[in-house]
Amino acid sequence: MVGAVTRNPATDGTPAPVAFDDAMRRYAPVLGLETHVELGTASKMFCSCATVFGAAPNTQVCPVCLALPGALPVVNGTAVESAVRLGLALNCSIAEWCRFARKNYFYPDMPKNYQISQYDEPLCSDGHLDVTVDTPDGPREFRVEIERVHMEEDTGKTAHVGGATGRIHGAEYSIVDYNRAGIPLLEIVTRPIEHTGDLAPLVARAYVSELRDLVRSLGISDVRMEEGSLRCDVNVSLMPVGATEWGTRSETKNVNSLRSVERAVRSEIERQAGVLDAGQRVVQETRHFQENTGGTVAGRSKEEAQDYRYFPDPDLVPVAPDPAWVEELRAGLPELPAALRARVKAEWSLTDEELRDLVNADAIALVSATVDAGAPPADARKWWLNELSRRATENEVELAALPITPAQVARVAALVAEGTLTNKLARQVVEGVLNGEGDPDQVVEARGLKVVSDDSALGAAVDRAIADNPDVAEKIRGGKVAAAGALVGAVMKATRGQADAGRARQMILERLGAA
Ligand code: ADP
Ligand code: MG
Ligand code: ZN
């Protein structure tokens, strides 16, 4: 089974990776995903400090999150509520009683030298999330089992200054910002995901994407991967096809985009297949994903749970959510993404492909909200999938992060439908809204973008076009109605595209006796 082993010339004798398809013929991957979601609560997990992203360093800190002696933590009720709601949305059981635990390790961005987390008593456990993957043979569904959802607090952020790479090696000094220390996190841990075969990279990506949409629909986090409010650790192991005992896993930390999740799984499969082919053992370690190469490099060898000396945090009372309150939260859950997809597909009569385009563009909730704000589904889809998707790509932001609301898009669509704007003008209005010039109506007013359709202003432009183009006018008078296009063009030019072209044409023909 083990063929000739090629050494990787770029490194110290690490076995060369095996091409993905080849690896998949001989090995079966097992995945595990640990996702951290930073909650959007106004205050931190155990103190009342603010949580605004991007504030000046160390301005959102207090004795509790700096762990000054004698300071005592108090649980943020909204964070518990968010955790319960996510647990319910993931079909988990909610513990009637659970505690926080101290996870002890030293890291300079963690002032207490322990992190308050949950260990053997997570708030939510035993759930599942169904995800769909597109395959050449059509969509395939996978059920991802959720082991647990637990609450914890984020660490601060260290920056290494003076080096070329921004990493600690070669840096002159490091600075630390504790603003993020103590921000509430939920960690969502899957059970090992088996039987995906060569779809493993896509299943991992689909899971993170579905989880992100679910969290977003609950409104508990802005889940921006690029800002780190959703971060994913990707565990991968390989076993020979047909084996039942899982292989040793590696854990690639803090993968920061959906595309990177997919690439991290793929490259780990290729790397580990090389290691196994060479007769070596995969080391249990954390690895770091490299954006530029799409591969991973070794980090630290992985601690075992006992290294963390977990014990219940004596400073905090247990969390005991009242079952009646949990049921209230369950009843108050919004429509979740899977249900939303099924509903819009039926209501808007979408084909599988049209639905897939909406899902791939990450536009379904936005389009749905735009329809709720009064736009016809076709218009709402058109705006989000064309003009706005293009601008999001141009600015390298997610569609949902564009500074325009579904209600504003619906208003633009309405202005087009009522004839106040042409499509071309509407795009300028959208540009204005995105520039922060205000609501669509304010942009129309401020930029003077209304279609010129009132007869006196339009009439003046028409008269001028006729006077400026006597030979064209003559042809039209002589019955060559098709020549009117040239005069309509002149009117459009004179009104900077703001004329109602149909009305202009009609006036031209009337004035020249050709109507
Ligand atoms: P740790 O806290 O050390 O990261 P966990 O028990 O939380 O360990 O597991 C991490 C993730 O890895 C979980 O999603 C789990 O399902 C998954 N996992 C466990 N064993 C394997 C394996 N052999 N191969 C792939 N994934 C695994
Ligand atoms: Mg872990
Ligand atoms: Zn604080």
Coordinates of all heavy atoms in Angstrom, one line a residue, residues 286-330:
T286 N -1.5 21.5 17.3 CA -2.2 22.5 16.7 C -1.4 23.0 15.5 O -0.2 22.9 15.5 CB -2.5 23.7 17.6 OG1 -1.2 24.3 18.0 CG2 -3.2 23.3 18.9
R287 N -2.1 23.5 14.5 CA -1.4 24.0 13.3 C -2.0 25.3 13.0 O -3.1 25.7 13.4 CB -1.5 23.0 12.1 CG -0.9 21.6 12.5 CD -0.9 20.7 11.3 NE -0.1 21.1 10.2 CZ 1.2 20.8 10.1 NH1 1.8 20.1 11.0 NH2 1.9 21.3 9.1
H288 N -1.3 26.1 12.1 CA -1.8 27.4 11.7 C -2.0 27.4 10.2 O -1.2 26.9 9.5 CB -0.8 28.5 12.1 CG -0.6 28.6 13.6 ND1 -1.5 29.1 14.4 CD2 0.5 28.1 14.3 CE1 -1.0 29.0 15.7 NE2 0.2 28.4 15.6
F289 N -3.1 27.9 9.8 CA -3.4 28.0 8.4 C -2.7 29.2 7.8 O -2.6 30.3 8.4 CB -4.9 28.2 8.2 CG -5.3 28.2 6.8 CD1 -5.3 27.0 6.0 CD2 -5.7 29.3 6.1 CE1 -5.6 27.0 4.7 CE2 -6.1 29.3 4.8 CZ -6.0 28.2 4.1
Q290 N -2.1 29.0 6.6 CA -1.3 30.0 5.9 C -2.2 30.5 4.7 O -2.3 29.8 3.8 CB 0.0 29.5 5.4 CG 0.9 28.8 6.4 CD 1.5 29.8 7.3 OE1 1.0 30.0 8.4 NE2 2.7 30.3 6.9
E291 N -2.7 31.7 4.8 CA -3.5 32.2 3.7 C -2.8 32.2 2.4 O -3.4 31.8 1.4 CB -3.9 33.7 4.0 CG -5.1 34.1 4.7 CD -6.4 33.3 4.4 OE1 -6.7 33.0 3.2 OE2 -7.1 33.0 5.4
N292 N -1.5 32.5 2.4 CA -0.8 32.6 1.1 C -0.6 31.3 0.4 O -0.8 31.2 -0.8 CB 0.5 33.4 1.3 CG 1.3 32.8 2.4 OD1 0.8 32.0 3.2 ND2 2.5 33.3 2.5
T293 N -0.3 30.2 1.2 CA 0.0 29.0 0.5 C -1.2 28.0 0.5 O -1.3 27.1 -0.2 CB 1.1 28.2 1.3 OG1 0.6 27.9 2.6 CG2 2.4 29.1 1.4
G294 N -2.2 28.3 1.4 CA -3.3 27.4 1.5 C -3.0 26.2 2.3 O -3.8 25.3 2.4
G295 N -1.8 26.1 2.9 CA -1.4 25.0 3.7 C -1.4 25.3 5.2 O -1.7 26.4 5.6
T296 N -0.9 24.4 6.0 CA -0.8 24.6 7.4 C 0.6 24.4 7.9 O 1.4 23.7 7.3 CB -1.7 23.7 8.2 OG1 -1.2 22.3 8.1 CG2 -3.2 23.7 7.7
V297 N 1.0 25.1 9.0 CA 2.3 24.8 9.6 C 2.1 24.5 11.0 O 1.1 24.9 11.7 CB 3.3 26.0 9.5 CG1 3.6 26.3 8.0 CG2 2.7 27.3 10.1
A298 N 3.1 23.7 11.6 CA 2.9 23.2 12.9 C 2.9 24.3 13.9 O 3.6 25.3 13.8 CB 4.1 22.2 13.2
G299 N 2.1 24.2 15.0 CA 2.1 25.1 16.1 C 2.6 24.4 17.3 O 3.6 23.7 17.2
R300 N 1.9 24.4 18.4 CA 2.3 23.7 19.6 C 1.8 22.3 19.6 O 0.8 22.0 19.1 CB 1.9 24.5 20.9 CG 0.4 24.6 21.0 CD 0.0 25.6 22.2 NE -1.3 26.1 22.0 CZ -2.4 25.5 22.4 NH1 -2.4 24.4 23.0 NH2 -3.6 26.1 22.1
S301 N 2.5 21.4 20.4 CA 1.9 20.1 20.5 C 0.8 20.3 21.5 O 0.8 21.1 22.4 CB 2.9 19.1 21.0 OG 3.3 19.4 22.3
K302 N -0.3 19.4 21.3 CA -1.5 19.7 22.0 C -1.6 19.3 23.4 O -1.2 18.1 23.8 CB -2.6 19.0 21.1 CG -4.0 19.2 21.6 CD -4.5 20.6 21.3 CE -6.0 20.7 21.9 NZ -6.4 22.0 21.9
E303 N -2.0 20.2 24.3 CA -2.2 19.8 25.7 C -3.4 18.8 25.8 O -4.3 18.7 25.0 CB -2.7 21.0 26.5 CG -1.7 22.1 26.8 CD -1.6 23.1 25.6 OE1 -2.3 22.8 24.6 OE2 -0.8 24.0 25.8
E304 N -3.3 18.0 26.8 CA -4.4 17.1 27.2 C -5.2 17.9 28.2 O -4.7 18.8 28.9 CB -3.9 15.8 27.8 CG -3.0 15.0 26.9 CD -3.8 14.3 25.8 OE1 -5.1 14.2 25.9 OE2 -3.2 14.0 24.7
A305 N -6.5 17.5 28.4 CA -7.4 18.2 29.3 C -6.8 18.3 30.7 O -6.9 19.4 31.3 CB -8.7 17.5 29.4
Q306 N -6.1 17.3 31.1 CA -5.6 17.4 32.5 C -4.5 18.5 32.7 O -4.3 19.0 33.8 CB -5.0 16.0 33.0 CG -3.8 15.5 32.2 CD -4.2 14.5 31.2 OE1 -5.4 14.5 30.7 NE2 -3.3 13.6 30.8
D307 N -3.9 18.9 31.6 CA -2.9 19.9 31.7 C -3.5 21.3 32.1 O -2.9 22.2 32.6 CB -2.2 20.2 30.3 CG -1.4 19.0 29.9 OD1 -1.0 18.2 30.8 OD2 -1.2 18.8 28.7
Y308 N -4.8 21.4 31.9 CA -5.5 22.7 32.2 C -6.0 22.7 33.6 O -6.5 23.8 34.0 CB -6.7 22.9 31.2 CG -6.3 23.1 29.8 CD1 -6.8 22.3 28.8 CD2 -5.5 24.2 29.5 CE1 -6.4 22.5 27.4 CE2 -5.2 24.5 28.1 CZ -5.6 23.6 27.1 OH -5.3 23.9 25.8
R309 N -5.9 21.6 34.3 CA -6.3 21.6 35.7 C -7.7 22.3 35.9 O -7.9 23.3 36.7 CB -5.3 22.3 36.7 CG -4.0 21.4 36.6 CD -2.7 22.1 37.2 NE -2.8 23.4 37.9 CZ -2.6 24.6 37.3 NH1 -2.2 24.7 36.1 NH2 -2.6 25.6 38.0
Y310 N -8.7 21.9 35.2 CA -10.0 22.4 35.3 C -10.6 22.2 36.7 O -10.4 21.1 37.2 CB -11.0 21.7 34.3 CG -10.9 22.1 32.9 CD1 -10.2 21.3 31.9 CD2 -11.6 23.2 32.4 CE1 -10.2 21.6 30.6 CE2 -11.6 23.5 31.1 CZ -10.9 22.7 30.2 OH -10.9 23.1 28.8
F311 N -11.2 23.2 37.2 CA -12.0 23.0 38.4 C -13.2 24.0 38.4 O -13.0 25.1 37.8 CB -11.2 23.0 39.7 CG -10.5 24.3 40.0 CD1 -11.2 25.3 40.7 CD2 -9.2 24.6 39.5 CE1 -10.5 26.5 41.0 CE2 -8.6 25.8 39.8 CZ -9.2 26.7 40.5
P312 N -14.3 23.8 39.1 CA -15.4 24.7 39.1 C -15.0 26.0 39.7 O -14.2 26.1 40.7 CB -16.4 24.0 40.0 CG -16.1 22.6 40.0 CD -14.6 22.5 39.8
D313 N -15.4 27.1 39.0 CA -15.0 28.5 39.5 C -15.7 28.8 40.8 O -17.0 29.0 40.7 CB -15.2 29.5 38.4 CG -14.5 30.8 38.7 OD1 -14.6 31.2 39.9 OD2 -13.9 31.4 37.9
P314 N -15.0 28.9 41.9 CA -15.7 29.2 43.1 C -16.3 30.6 43.2 O -17.1 30.9 44.2 CB -14.7 29.0 44.2 CG -13.4 29.2 43.5 CD -13.6 28.9 42.1
D315 N -15.9 31.5 42.3 CA -16.4 32.9 42.4 C -17.8 33.0 41.7 O -18.4 34.1 41.9 CB -15.4 33.8 41.6 CG -14.1 34.1 42.4 OD1 -14.1 33.7 43.6 OD2 -13.2 34.6 41.8
L316 N -18.2 32.0 41.0 CA -19.5 32.2 40.3 C -20.5 31.2 40.8 O -20.2 30.0 41.1 CB -19.2 31.9 38.8 CG -18.5 33.1 38.1 CD1 -17.8 32.6 36.8 CD2 -19.5 34.2 37.8
V317 N -21.8 31.7 40.8 CA -22.9 30.8 41.2 C -23.2 29.9 40.0 O -22.9 30.3 38.9 CB -24.1 31.6 41.6 CG1 -23.9 32.3 42.9 CG2 -24.6 32.5 40.5
P318 N -23.8 28.7 40.2 CA -24.2 27.9 39.1 C -25.2 28.6 38.2 O -25.9 29.5 38.7 CB -24.8 26.7 39.8 CG -24.3 26.7 41.2 CD -24.1 28.1 41.5
V319 N -25.3 28.2 37.0 CA -26.4 28.7 36.1 C -27.5 27.7 36.1 O -27.2 26.5 35.8 CB -25.8 28.9 34.7 CG1 -26.9 29.3 33.7 CG2 -24.7 29.9 34.7
A320 N -28.7 28.1 36.4 CA -29.8 27.1 36.5 C -31.0 27.7 35.8 O -31.9 28.3 36.4 CB -30.1 26.8 37.9
P321 N -31.0 27.6 34.4 CA -32.1 28.2 33.7 C -33.5 27.6 34.0 O -33.6 26.3 33.9 CB -31.8 28.0 32.2 CG -30.6 27.1 32.2 CD -30.1 26.9 33.6
D322 N -34.4 28.4 34.3 CA -35.8 27.8 34.6 C -36.4 27.2 33.4 O -36.4 27.8 32.3 CB -36.6 29.1 35.1 CG -38.0 28.7 35.4 OD1 -38.4 27.5 35.2 OD2 -38.8 29.6 35.8
P323 N -36.8 25.9 33.5 CA -37.4 25.3 32.3 C -38.5 26.1 31.6 O -38.6 26.0 30.4 CB -37.9 23.9 32.8 CG -37.1 23.7 34.1 CD -36.8 25.1 34.6
A324 N -39.3 26.8 32.4 CA -40.4 27.6 31.8 C -39.8 28.7 30.9 O -40.3 29.0 29.8 CB -41.2 28.1 32.9
W325 N -38.7 29.3 31.4 CA -38.1 30.4 30.6 C -37.5 29.8 29.4 O -37.6 30.4 28.3 CB -37.0 31.0 31.5 CG -36.2 32.1 30.9 CD1 -36.6 33.3 30.4 CD2 -34.8 32.1 30.6 NE1 -35.6 34.0 29.9 CE2 -34.4 33.3 30.0 CE3 -33.7 31.2 30.9 CZ2 -33.1 33.6 29.6 CZ3 -32.4 31.5 30.6 CH2 -32.1 32.7 29.9
V326 N -36.9 28.6 29.5 CA -36.3 28.0 28.3 C -37.4 27.7 27.2 O -37.2 28.0 26.0 CB -35.6 26.6 28.7 CG1 -35.2 25.9 27.4 CG2 -34.3 26.9 29.5
E327 N -38.5 27.3 27.7 CA -39.6 27.0 26.7 C -40.1 28.3 26.1 O -40.5 28.4 24.9 CB -40.8 26.3 27.4 CG -40.5 24.8 27.7 CD -39.8 24.1 26.5 OE1 -40.3 24.2 25.4 OE2 -38.7 23.6 26.8
E328 N -40.1 29.4 26.9 CA -40.4 30.7 26.4 C -39.5 31.1 25.2 O -39.9 31.6 24.2 CB -40.3 31.7 27.5 CG -41.5 32.5 27.8 CD -41.2 33.4 29.1 OE1 -40.5 34.4 28.9 OE2 -41.7 33.0 30.1
L329 N -38.2 30.9 25.5 CA -37.2 31.2 24.5 C -37.4 30.3 23.3 O -37.2 30.8 22.1 CB -35.8 31.0 25.1 CG -35.3 32.0 26.2 CD1 -33.9 31.7 26.7 CD2 -35.4 33.4 25.7
R330 N -37.7 29.1 23.5 CA -37.9 28.2 22.3 C -39.1 28.7 21.5 O -39.0 28.8 20.2 CB -38.2 26.7 22.8 CG -38.2 25.7 21.7 CD -38.9 24.4 22.1 NE -38.3 23.8 23.3 CZ -37.2 23.0 23.3 NH1 -36.6 22.7 22.1 NH2 -36.8 22.5 24.4

